[in-house]
Amino acid sequence: KTLSIRLKQGIFNLFNMSKALTNRNLPLAANKLQNSLRFLFGKGDWWKLNEILELEQEFGIRSVFHFHADSRRKTFRRWLFDPNYNIQENRIQTFIQELKDQGFIVGLHPSIDAWEGSGWIQDQKEYLEKNSGTEIRYCRQHWLRFSWRKTWKAQEKAGLRFDTTLMFNDRSGFRASAAVLRNPWNMEESRPHQLQALPSVLMDSHLNDYKHMEDDTRQEEIKYWLDECKAVKGEAAVLWHPHTLARDYGWMAGFKFMLQALNPE
Protein backbone atom coordinates (compact mmCIF):
# COMPACT_ATOMS: atom_id res chain seq x y z
CA LYS A 1 0.00 0.00 0.00
CA THR A 2 2.16 2.81 -1.32
CA LEU A 3 1.87 6.56 -0.94
CA SER A 4 1.06 7.00 -4.62
CA ILE A 5 -1.94 4.68 -4.55
CA ARG A 6 -3.12 6.17 -1.24
CA LEU A 7 -3.18 9.58 -2.95
CA LYS A 8 -4.78 8.37 -6.19
CA GLN A 9 -7.59 6.40 -4.61
CA GLY A 10 -8.07 8.87 -1.76
CA ILE A 11 -8.50 11.77 -4.18
CA PHE A 12 -10.71 9.70 -6.49
CA ASN A 13 -13.05 8.94 -3.59
CA LEU A 14 -13.16 12.63 -2.68
CA PHE A 15 -14.10 13.39 -6.29
CA ASN A 16 -16.92 10.84 -6.13
CA MET A 17 -17.99 12.34 -2.80
CA SER A 18 -18.34 15.78 -4.42
CA LYS A 19 -20.42 14.27 -7.23
CA ALA A 20 -22.67 12.59 -4.67
CA LEU A 21 -23.10 15.89 -2.81
CA THR A 22 -23.99 17.63 -6.08
CA ASN A 23 -26.69 14.99 -6.60
CA ARG A 24 -27.79 15.39 -2.94
CA ASN A 25 -26.98 11.76 -2.21
CA LEU A 26 -25.79 12.20 1.37
CA PRO A 27 -25.41 8.50 2.28
CA LEU A 28 -23.19 7.90 -0.77
CA ALA A 29 -21.19 11.05 -0.05
CA ALA A 30 -20.57 9.89 3.52
CA ASN A 31 -19.49 6.47 2.24
CA LYS A 32 -17.01 8.00 -0.21
CA LEU A 33 -15.58 10.26 2.49
CA GLN A 34 -15.09 7.26 4.75
CA ASN A 35 -13.39 5.36 1.92
CA SER A 36 -11.12 8.30 1.18
CA LEU A 37 -9.97 8.57 4.80
CA ARG A 38 -9.36 4.81 4.95
CA PHE A 39 -7.18 4.94 1.82
CA LEU A 40 -5.26 7.99 2.95
CA PHE A 41 -4.56 7.00 6.54
CA GLY A 42 -5.45 3.34 7.07
CA LYS A 43 -3.17 0.32 7.18
CA GLY A 44 -3.78 -2.97 5.47
CA ASP A 45 -2.18 -6.00 3.84
CA TRP A 46 -2.67 -5.89 0.09
CA TRP A 47 -0.88 -9.14 -0.72
CA LYS A 48 -3.74 -11.21 -2.15
CA LEU A 49 -1.93 -13.16 -4.88
CA ASN A 50 -1.86 -16.53 -3.14
CA GLU A 51 -5.54 -16.17 -2.26
CA ILE A 52 -6.32 -15.46 -5.93
CA LEU A 53 -4.44 -18.60 -6.93
CA GLU A 54 -6.47 -20.73 -4.52
CA LEU A 55 -9.77 -19.24 -5.72
CA GLU A 56 -8.94 -19.74 -9.39
CA GLN A 57 -7.98 -23.34 -8.75
CA GLU A 58 -11.28 -23.82 -6.94
CA PHE A 59 -13.26 -22.51 -9.93
CA GLY A 60 -11.11 -24.12 -12.63
CA ILE A 61 -9.74 -20.84 -13.99
CA ARG A 62 -6.24 -20.21 -15.42
CA SER A 63 -5.66 -16.48 -15.85
CA VAL A 64 -2.77 -14.39 -17.13
CA PHE A 65 -0.84 -12.51 -14.41
CA HIS A 66 0.66 -9.31 -15.82
CA PHE A 67 3.71 -7.95 -13.98
CA HIS A 68 5.24 -4.50 -14.14
CA ALA A 69 8.99 -4.77 -14.69
CA ASP A 70 10.87 -1.51 -15.22
CA SER A 71 14.48 -1.09 -14.10
CA ARG A 72 14.56 2.68 -14.74
CA ARG A 73 14.65 5.21 -11.97
CA LYS A 74 11.18 6.55 -11.22
CA THR A 75 10.09 9.92 -12.55
CA PHE A 76 7.23 11.62 -10.69
CA ARG A 77 4.79 10.55 -13.39
CA ARG A 78 5.83 6.90 -13.30
CA TRP A 79 5.85 6.98 -9.49
CA LEU A 80 2.26 8.24 -9.52
CA PHE A 81 0.79 6.01 -12.24
CA ASP A 82 2.88 2.83 -12.43
CA PRO A 83 3.02 0.01 -9.87
CA ASN A 84 5.78 0.53 -7.32
CA TYR A 85 6.69 -3.04 -6.41
CA ASN A 86 10.08 -4.51 -7.33
CA ILE A 87 9.95 -7.53 -9.62
CA GLN A 88 13.16 -8.80 -7.97
CA GLU A 89 11.56 -8.97 -4.51
CA ASN A 90 11.89 -12.48 -3.09
CA ARG A 91 8.18 -12.87 -2.38
CA ILE A 92 7.29 -11.95 -5.97
CA GLN A 93 9.99 -14.24 -7.36
CA THR A 94 8.58 -17.12 -5.32
CA PHE A 95 5.07 -16.38 -6.52
CA ILE A 96 6.12 -16.27 -10.19
CA GLN A 97 7.74 -19.67 -9.80
CA GLU A 98 4.49 -20.99 -8.30
CA LEU A 99 2.57 -19.61 -11.28
CA LYS A 100 4.88 -21.40 -13.68
CA ASP A 101 4.68 -24.65 -11.73
CA GLN A 102 0.88 -24.57 -11.89
CA GLY A 103 0.58 -23.68 -15.57
CA PHE A 104 -0.45 -20.03 -15.33
CA ILE A 105 0.76 -17.50 -17.91
CA VAL A 106 3.12 -14.67 -16.96
CA GLY A 107 2.56 -11.47 -18.94
CA LEU A 108 3.90 -7.93 -19.05
CA HIS A 109 2.27 -4.75 -17.71
CA PRO A 110 4.26 -2.01 -19.55
CA SER A 111 4.82 1.39 -17.95
CA ILE A 112 2.52 4.32 -18.66
CA ASP A 113 5.05 5.97 -20.97
CA ALA A 114 5.74 2.82 -23.02
CA TRP A 115 2.71 3.05 -25.29
CA GLU A 116 4.19 4.32 -28.55
CA GLY A 117 7.81 3.17 -28.70
CA SER A 118 9.06 -0.40 -28.89
CA GLY A 119 12.36 0.33 -27.12
CA TRP A 120 10.99 0.75 -23.60
CA ILE A 121 8.50 -2.09 -24.08
CA GLN A 122 11.28 -4.40 -25.24
CA ASP A 123 13.53 -3.38 -22.34
CA GLN A 124 10.75 -4.15 -19.86
CA LYS A 125 9.89 -7.41 -21.61
CA GLU A 126 13.51 -8.56 -21.45
CA TYR A 127 13.80 -7.45 -17.81
CA LEU A 128 10.72 -9.51 -16.92
CA GLU A 129 12.04 -12.50 -18.86
CA LYS A 130 15.34 -12.26 -16.99
CA ASN A 131 13.57 -12.13 -13.63
CA SER A 132 10.88 -14.73 -14.36
CA GLY A 133 12.85 -17.30 -16.34
CA THR A 134 10.12 -17.51 -18.97
CA GLU A 135 9.50 -16.15 -22.45
CA ILE A 136 7.00 -13.27 -22.37
CA ARG A 137 4.42 -13.10 -25.16
CA TYR A 138 1.35 -11.65 -23.39
CA CYS A 139 0.82 -8.04 -22.36
CA ARG A 140 -1.72 -5.51 -21.20
CA GLN A 141 -0.85 -1.87 -21.74
CA HIS A 142 -1.46 0.78 -19.09
CA TRP A 143 -5.17 1.56 -19.48
CA LEU A 144 -4.65 5.35 -19.48
CA ARG A 145 -2.47 5.36 -22.60
CA PHE A 146 -3.31 3.60 -25.87
CA SER A 147 -2.97 4.47 -29.57
CA TRP A 148 -4.66 2.59 -32.41
CA ARG A 149 -1.74 3.38 -34.70
CA LYS A 150 1.24 3.12 -32.37
CA THR A 151 0.64 0.77 -29.43
CA TRP A 152 0.13 -2.56 -31.22
CA LYS A 153 2.94 -1.68 -33.62
CA ALA A 154 5.32 -1.02 -30.71
CA GLN A 155 4.26 -4.21 -28.90
CA GLU A 156 4.74 -6.32 -32.02
CA LYS A 157 8.17 -4.85 -32.72
CA ALA A 158 9.18 -5.60 -29.12
CA GLY A 159 8.35 -9.28 -29.66
CA LEU A 160 4.96 -9.45 -27.93
CA ARG A 161 2.25 -11.52 -29.59
CA PHE A 162 -0.95 -11.22 -27.51
CA ASP A 163 -2.56 -8.06 -26.09
CA THR A 164 -5.74 -7.44 -24.08
CA THR A 165 -5.57 -3.65 -23.67
CA LEU A 166 -8.53 -2.59 -25.80
CA MET A 167 -11.52 -1.61 -23.64
CA PHE A 168 -13.41 1.40 -22.34
CA ASN A 169 -11.64 3.15 -19.46
CA ASP A 170 -14.76 3.99 -17.45
CA ARG A 171 -17.48 1.53 -18.50
CA SER A 172 -18.04 -2.08 -19.44
CA GLY A 173 -18.77 -3.00 -23.04
CA PHE A 174 -17.41 -3.89 -26.46
CA ARG A 175 -15.11 -1.07 -27.53
CA ALA A 176 -14.32 -2.92 -30.76
CA SER A 177 -18.04 -3.72 -31.25
CA ALA A 178 -17.17 -7.41 -31.17
CA ALA A 179 -15.90 -10.21 -28.94
CA VAL A 180 -13.33 -11.58 -31.36
CA LEU A 181 -9.65 -12.50 -31.08
CA ARG A 182 -8.10 -10.92 -34.14
CA ASN A 183 -4.96 -9.61 -35.78
CA PRO A 184 -5.53 -5.84 -35.80
CA TRP A 185 -4.80 -3.91 -38.96
CA ASN A 186 -1.45 -2.18 -39.33
CA MET A 187 -2.59 1.14 -40.82
CA GLU A 188 0.86 2.33 -41.85
CA GLU A 189 1.95 -0.87 -43.61
CA SER A 190 -1.49 -1.97 -44.90
CA ARG A 191 -1.26 -5.48 -43.46
CA PRO A 192 -2.47 -7.36 -40.39
CA HIS A 193 -0.26 -7.22 -37.32
CA GLN A 194 1.38 -10.49 -36.32
CA LEU A 195 0.24 -9.69 -32.80
CA GLN A 196 -3.25 -10.85 -31.78
CA ALA A 197 -5.57 -8.53 -29.85
CA LEU A 198 -8.36 -9.71 -27.56
CA PRO A 199 -10.77 -6.96 -26.40
CA SER A 200 -11.54 -6.60 -22.70
CA VAL A 201 -15.21 -6.33 -21.85
CA LEU A 202 -15.09 -5.74 -18.10
CA MET A 203 -12.81 -4.23 -15.44
CA ASP A 204 -13.22 -4.18 -11.67
CA SER A 205 -13.31 -0.37 -11.42
CA HIS A 206 -16.16 -0.23 -13.96
CA LEU A 207 -18.32 -1.93 -11.37
CA ASN A 208 -17.14 -0.16 -8.25
CA ASP A 209 -15.54 3.24 -8.94
CA TYR A 210 -17.43 4.53 -11.96
CA LYS A 211 -20.80 3.06 -11.03
CA HIS A 212 -22.27 2.83 -7.55
CA MET A 213 -24.09 -0.50 -7.27
CA GLU A 214 -25.35 -2.88 -4.66
CA ASP A 215 -23.94 -6.42 -4.74
CA ASP A 216 -26.91 -7.91 -6.57
CA THR A 217 -26.81 -5.20 -9.28
CA ARG A 218 -23.08 -5.69 -9.67
CA GLN A 219 -23.60 -9.41 -10.16
CA GLU A 220 -26.25 -8.75 -12.79
CA GLU A 221 -23.80 -6.47 -14.63
CA ILE A 222 -21.04 -9.10 -14.60
CA LYS A 223 -23.41 -11.83 -15.76
CA TYR A 224 -24.85 -9.61 -18.51
CA TRP A 225 -21.52 -8.98 -20.24
CA LEU A 226 -20.25 -12.53 -19.85
CA ASP A 227 -23.54 -13.93 -21.16
CA GLU A 228 -23.28 -11.62 -24.19
CA CYS A 229 -19.94 -13.23 -25.05
CA LYS A 230 -21.27 -16.73 -24.46
CA ALA A 231 -24.38 -16.11 -26.56
CA VAL A 232 -22.32 -15.44 -29.69
CA LYS A 233 -19.57 -17.92 -28.75
CA GLY A 234 -17.18 -14.98 -28.64
CA GLU A 235 -13.87 -14.33 -26.92
CA ALA A 236 -13.08 -11.46 -24.58
CA ALA A 237 -10.95 -10.69 -21.54
CA VAL A 238 -11.84 -9.41 -18.08
CA LEU A 239 -9.47 -7.47 -15.82
CA TRP A 240 -9.25 -7.58 -12.03
CA HIS A 241 -6.51 -5.93 -9.97
CA PRO A 242 -5.27 -8.13 -7.10
CA HIS A 243 -5.01 -5.36 -4.50
CA THR A 244 -8.74 -4.57 -4.84
CA LEU A 245 -9.49 -7.77 -2.94
CA ALA A 246 -8.10 -6.16 0.21
CA ARG A 247 -10.43 -4.71 2.84
CA ASP A 248 -9.68 -1.13 1.78
CA TYR A 249 -11.43 -1.77 -1.53
CA GLY A 250 -13.73 -4.63 -0.54
CA TRP A 251 -14.25 -5.94 -4.06
CA MET A 252 -13.73 -9.59 -3.20
CA ALA A 253 -17.42 -10.56 -3.54
CA GLY A 254 -17.53 -9.36 -7.13
CA PHE A 255 -14.34 -11.23 -7.97
CA LYS A 256 -15.68 -14.49 -6.55
CA PHE A 257 -18.94 -14.08 -8.46
CA MET A 258 -17.02 -13.43 -11.68
CA LEU A 259 -14.96 -16.60 -11.22
CA GLN A 260 -18.16 -18.56 -10.62
CA ALA A 261 -19.73 -17.08 -13.77
CA LEU A 262 -16.60 -17.96 -15.77
CA ASN A 263 -16.45 -21.52 -14.49
CA PRO A 264 -16.65 -23.78 -17.55
CA GLU A 265 -18.70 -26.30 -15.58
Side-chain angles (χ1 to χ4, degrees):
K1 187 175 181 179
T2 60
L3 176 60
S4 59
I5 203 164
R6 286 176 187 269
L7 291 174
K8 284 186 293 185
Q9 200 64 23
I11 292 171
F12 192 72
N13 273 285
L14 288 175
F15 173 74
N16 281 333
M17 180 194 74
S18 67
K19 287 174 61 178
L21 287 173
T22 301
N23 295 326
R24 298 182 180 180
N25 189 337
L26 296 182
L28 180 59
N31 175 261
K32 293 303 176 183
L33 176 60
Q34 183 182 27
N35 289 346
S36 179
L37 294 174
R38 185 168 65 245
F39 274 101
L40 288 169
F41 304 110
K43 296 181 179 180
D45 181 10
W46 284 13
W47 181 271
K48 295 295 178 181
L49 295 176
N50 296 100
E51 193 169 346
I52 290 174
L53 224 54
E54 293 175 3
L55 285 170
E56 293 199 358
Q57 290 170 338
E58 178 183 343
F59 288 100
I61 302 297
R62 286 289 184 275
S63 62
V64 181
F65 284 76
H66 294 94
F67 290 87
H68 178 70
D70 191 352
S71 60
R72 294 175 296 167
R73 185 176 179 179
K74 290 284 189 185
T75 63
F76 175 76
R77 189 181 185 211
R78 291 201 297 270
W79 172 83
L80 185 62
F81 289 108
D82 285 338
N84 282 302
Y85 56 80
N86 187 343
I87 193 67
Q88 294 182 323
E89 183 183 340
N90 288 336
R91 185 163 61 165
I92 295 179
Q93 290 284 300
T94 300
F95 180 73
I96 290 177
Q97 186 58 52
E98 188 172 356
L99 289 179
K100 292 162 57 180
D101 291 344
Q102 298 187 27
F104 287 80
I105 296 173
V106 176
L108 176 67
H109 182 320
S111 60
I112 190 171
D113 57 1
W115 60 278
E116 59 177 344
S118 60
W120 284 342
I121 298 178
Q122 185 169 352
D123 288 346
Q124 292 167 32
K125 172 180 175 290
E126 292 175 355
Y127 189 61
L128 179 57
E129 289 176 335
K130 177 183 176 181
N131 286 282
S132 66
T134 187
E135 185 178 21
I136 302 300
R137 286 286 180 258
Y138 286 68
C139 75
R140 171 180 288 283
Q141 207 69 28
H142 199 293
W143 66 280
L144 286 176
R145 296 307 302 266
F146 175 82
S147 165
W148 293 88
R149 285 183 175 273
K150 297 179 180 180
T151 301
W152 285 322
K153 182 179 179 181
Q155 291 173 352
E156 178 182 274
K157 191 174 180 180
L160 295 165
R161 291 294 176 262
F162 193 95
D163 175 63
T164 53
T165 306
L166 190 63
M167 65 175 178
F168 292 114
N169 292 348
D170 58 353
R171 72 202 71 181
S172 304
F174 300 97
R175 185 174 176 183
S177 301
V180 178
L181 176 64
R182 64 192 179 95
N183 294 80
W185 189 251
N186 185 324
M187 302 179 191
E188 296 180 356
E189 300 179 20
S190 297
R191 64 168 178 83
H193 283 289
Q194 294 180 13
L195 172 143
Q196 291 184 300
L198 183 67
S200 292
V201 67
L202 181 69
M203 180 168 66
D204 48 12
S205 57
H206 295 162
L207 307 167
N208 296 275
D209 274 341
Y210 294 100
K211 288 187 177 181
H212 309 295
M213 308 176 182
E214 300 298 329
D215 284 346
D216 56 347
T217 308
R218 192 174 295 114
Q219 291 178 3
E220 290 174 6
E221 181 93 350
I222 293 172
K223 191 173 186 303
Y224 173 81
W225 293 111
L226 296 183
D227 284 350
E228 282 286 299
C229 296
K230 293 176 182 178
V232 298
K233 301 187 186 301
E235 295 181 78
V238 293
L239 168 60
W240 213 280
H241 296 86
H243 58 270
T244 64
L245 306 184
R247 179 181 175 274
D248 286 342
Y249 285 85
W251 299 357
M252 175 67 84
F255 180 67
K256 287 183 176 180
F257 181 83
M258 185 184 71
L259 292 181
Q260 183 178 11
L262 286 170
N263 191 326
E265 297 179 2

